[in-house]
Amino acid sequence: MEFDSDGVRLHYELHGPETGAPLLLVHGFASDYQLNWVGTRWQETLVGANYRIIGLDCRGHGQSAKPHDPSAYTIDVLAADVRRLLDELEIVSVRYVGYSMGARIGLQSAIDFPDRLHRAVLGGLGASGGPDEAGAIARALRGAKPETASALTFQRFAAARPTNDLDALAACMEGLGRSVRLDKQQLAAIWTPILLVAGDRDDIARGAPKLAAEIPTARLVMIPGRDHLSTVPARPFKEAALEFLAGA
């Protein structure tokens, strides 16, 4: 299915019982709904728990349109896509699960329109709230020799999928890099219940405990022995999310 988000065509999927509580899944950078949430058995787990799944392909990713302008990918724009999707589906409030970039979008959503998020599970997100090496990663995606280990990791991950548009992903990374950094006053004002989840070997989310301390409604679960990529399919992540999402 598709909808128009301020002139950009976005793809989304619906799964699970129509009478289930709506739950929005938002993937990480250079991934998409299918890779992040289906192959890792999140969709199966959540549908089994009777949720109505809404799976978004973020702009620049998956089957959605792929602009090449970095200004199309600032964090407020990406969060606005979420709000427009909820409007499209006439959903007043949704449970939200996001990973990495999807977690940052969820956090921004909790800041910008908290009344639309019932609860949010945010995985793989650190204290900075954004990529620390956005410029280096973008240059690597455009074909330059990777300058850092993170740039090499992102380049390899993105290039491994032939459906990825590396120029669009570079623009996305630049847009995320231009986004306003997390503000302590905004974090302190969040009232949406939030579960932060990170692997204890995740260098990208190494500031998760600091972030949790700055959000009054947040609690933190650390997954032993997992890095940024291997945290996604971890059973303890799913179990913690299911318990949290079931709350009132």
Side-chain angles (χ1 to χ4, degrees):
M1 300 180 182
E2 296 179 350
F3 75 107
D4 181 279
S5 183
D6 196 27
V8 177
R9 177 190 55 78
L10 298 183
H11 173 83
Y12 69 95
E13 301 182 18
L14 298 175
H15 300 277
E18 293 185 9
T19 56
L23 193 158
L24 176 60
L25 292 171
V26 184
H27 60 81
F29 179 78
S31 186
D32 58 22
Y33 173 72
Q34 287 288 326
L35 179 63
N36 208 141
W37 304 115
V38 178
T40 56
R41 303 184 71 175
W42 272 92
Q43 176 182 292
E44 176 185 332
T45 298
L46 294 169
V47 167
N50 223 33
Y51 288 107
R52 176 64 164 171
I53 302 304
I54 308 153
L56 175 66
D57 277 354
C58 297
R59 57 175 65 203
H61 297 75
Q63 298 182 55
S64 290
K66 300 175 172 62
H68 285 192
D69 181 357
S71 66
Y73 297 99
T74 57
I75 194 61
D76 57 321
V77 171
L78 294 170
D81 288 338
V82 167
R83 186 177 64 240
R84 293 190 191 101
L85 176 55
L86 298 182
D87 291 343
E88 172 76 13
L89 297 173
E90 299 181 338
I91 293 173
V92 175
S93 179
V94 72
R95 288 166 172 80
Y96 184 104
V97 180
Y99 196 78
S100 197
M101 180 184 76
R104 180 63 181 92
I105 294 169
L107 187 62
Q108 193 65 37
S109 300
I111 292 169
D112 291 349
F113 41 94
D115 56 314
R116 308 298 295 274
L117 268 60
H118 180 70
R119 286 177 165 256
V121 177
L122 308 179
L125 184 64
S128 69
D132 293 326
E133 302 172 359
I137 294 167
R139 289 189 290 274
L141 290 169
R142 290 199 170 99
K145 182 178 179 180
E147 303 161 27
T148 67
S150 291
L152 177 60
T153 298
F154 277 102
Q155 182 194 59
R156 285 177 173 171
F157 182 72
R161 309 199 73 215
T163 55
N164 279 341
D165 180 330
L166 298 187
D167 285 331
L169 291 176
C172 178
M173 184 57 66
E174 289 174 339
L176 290 170
R178 294 177 187 177
S179 298
V180 176
R181 302 307 247 184
L182 290 172
D183 178 90
K184 288 187 176 182
Q185 289 184 327
Q186 288 183 323
L187 294 176
I190 290 175
W191 51 268
T192 302
I194 289 176
L195 176 67
L196 294 173
V197 180
D200 65 359
R201 296 182 181 177
D202 185 349
D203 290 337
I204 293 175
R206 58 184 174 272
K210 179 182 177 183
L211 180 61
E214 293 177 344
I215 302 173
T217 57
R219 68 182 182 91
L220 174 66
V221 170
M222 300 297 294
I223 309 298
R226 300 284 181 146
D227 61 16
H228 195 67
L229 294 180
S230 64
T231 295
V232 180
R235 180 180 293 274
F237 185 5
K238 297 186 181 83
E239 292 173 346
L242 284 171
E243 179 184 359
F244 177 79
L245 292 167

